[in-house]
């Protein structure tokens, strides 16, 4: 039903950050401030065009603590994910790292983000082509340059997401919100419902029906395994997975706040499960 033009440019203005949604130099400058303040370890996984594809991790990861991965910015027009992650970091206290091992992929598709369009500068979709073959990551014809970098580090990302993966997307065609979620259950449990309701505090929850050919019920598309990054990590053993979808037809700052809130809720929920 919905079709997204992969090269249509979308930009908005953020009052929270006093810049345009595709202002990549401000984004990286503000990110670096938080990386320094929190003492995050920077690990360059590879290149995404002329930008580095970096993973950030909390210092001194401990074996007895849950390991969580939060990623954002796979699709360039879905700007509230990366800005929401920055907002979340602004509010974060480093004491949290005594409880969890946190890993972050703040901006997977910088070339698309800068242009405000979905695909990367090579015209590839960075959230496709994550194949699991005999327990190992493998690319296919759909795998993007960024995807290949992530697949090369699948063991590292598997360990980083052992207790959960949250990936933050947006749906520029909608005014309503929904999530994809993955749990080892027949039906969505409290984890999925709580994260959906976190977004529901900001936006109306999508009506039952189909979105991108997937059945959505009570705002949740449940255990839908495709060749996305998040489904790949769940196949690799992440205990839970969520892909949040904030509505691009709503105010950008509200979307940024919603993304920041779901990141905090994701951590709280996983901590509560331990
Ligand atoms: Zn997306």
């Amino acid at each position: 039903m919905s079709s997204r033009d992969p090269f249509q440019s979308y930009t908005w203005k953020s009052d929270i950050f006093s810049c345009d949604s595709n202002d990549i130099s401000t984004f990286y400058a503000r990110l670096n401030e938080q990386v320094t303040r929190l003492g995050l370890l920077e690990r360059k996984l590879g290149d995404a065009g002329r930008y580095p594809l970096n993973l950030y991790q909390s210092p001194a990861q401990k074996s007895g603590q849950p390991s969580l991965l939060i990623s954002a910015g796979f699709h360039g027009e879905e700007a509230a994910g990366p800005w929401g992650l920055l907002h979340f970091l602004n509010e974060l206290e480093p004491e949290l790292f005594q409880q969890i091992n946190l890993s972050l992929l703040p901006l997977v598709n910088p070339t698309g983000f800068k242009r405000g369009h979905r695909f990367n500068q090579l015209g590839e979709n960075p959230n496709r082509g994550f194949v699991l073959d005999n327990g190992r990551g493998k690319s296919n014809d759909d795998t993007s340059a960024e995807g290949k970098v992530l697949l090369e580090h699948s063991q590292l990302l598997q360990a980083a997401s052992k207790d959960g993966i949250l990936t933050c997307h947006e749906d520029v065609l909608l005014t309503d919100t929904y999530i994809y979620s993955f749990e080892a259950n027949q039906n969505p449990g409290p984890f999925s419902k709580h994260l959906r309701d976190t977004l529901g505090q900001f936006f109306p929850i999508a009506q039952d029906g189909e979105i991108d050919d997937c059945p959505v019920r009570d705002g949740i598309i449940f255990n839908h395994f495709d060749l996305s990054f998040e489904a790949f990590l769940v196949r690799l053993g992440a205990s839970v997975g969520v892909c949040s979808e904030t509505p691009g037809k709503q105010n950008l700052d509200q979307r940024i706040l919603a993304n920041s809130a779901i990141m905090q809720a994701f951590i709280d929920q996983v901590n509560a499960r331990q």
Side-chain angles (χ1 to χ4, degrees), residues 251-268:
N251 173 272
L252 175 63
D253 284 323
Q254 282 296 110
R255 289 150 46 202
I256 289 171
L257 294 173
N259 275 278
S260 180
I262 198 170
M263 291 174 198
Q264 187 60 55
F266 170 67
I267 288 173
D268 293 344

Side-chain angles (χ1 to χ4, degrees), residues 75-77 109-121:
H75 292 137
E77 90 282 31
N109 174 11
T111 61
F113 180 86
K114 185 167 188 254
R115 299 173 184 197
H117 68 50
R118 184 171 185 79
F119 285 3
N120 66 12
Q121 64 179 7

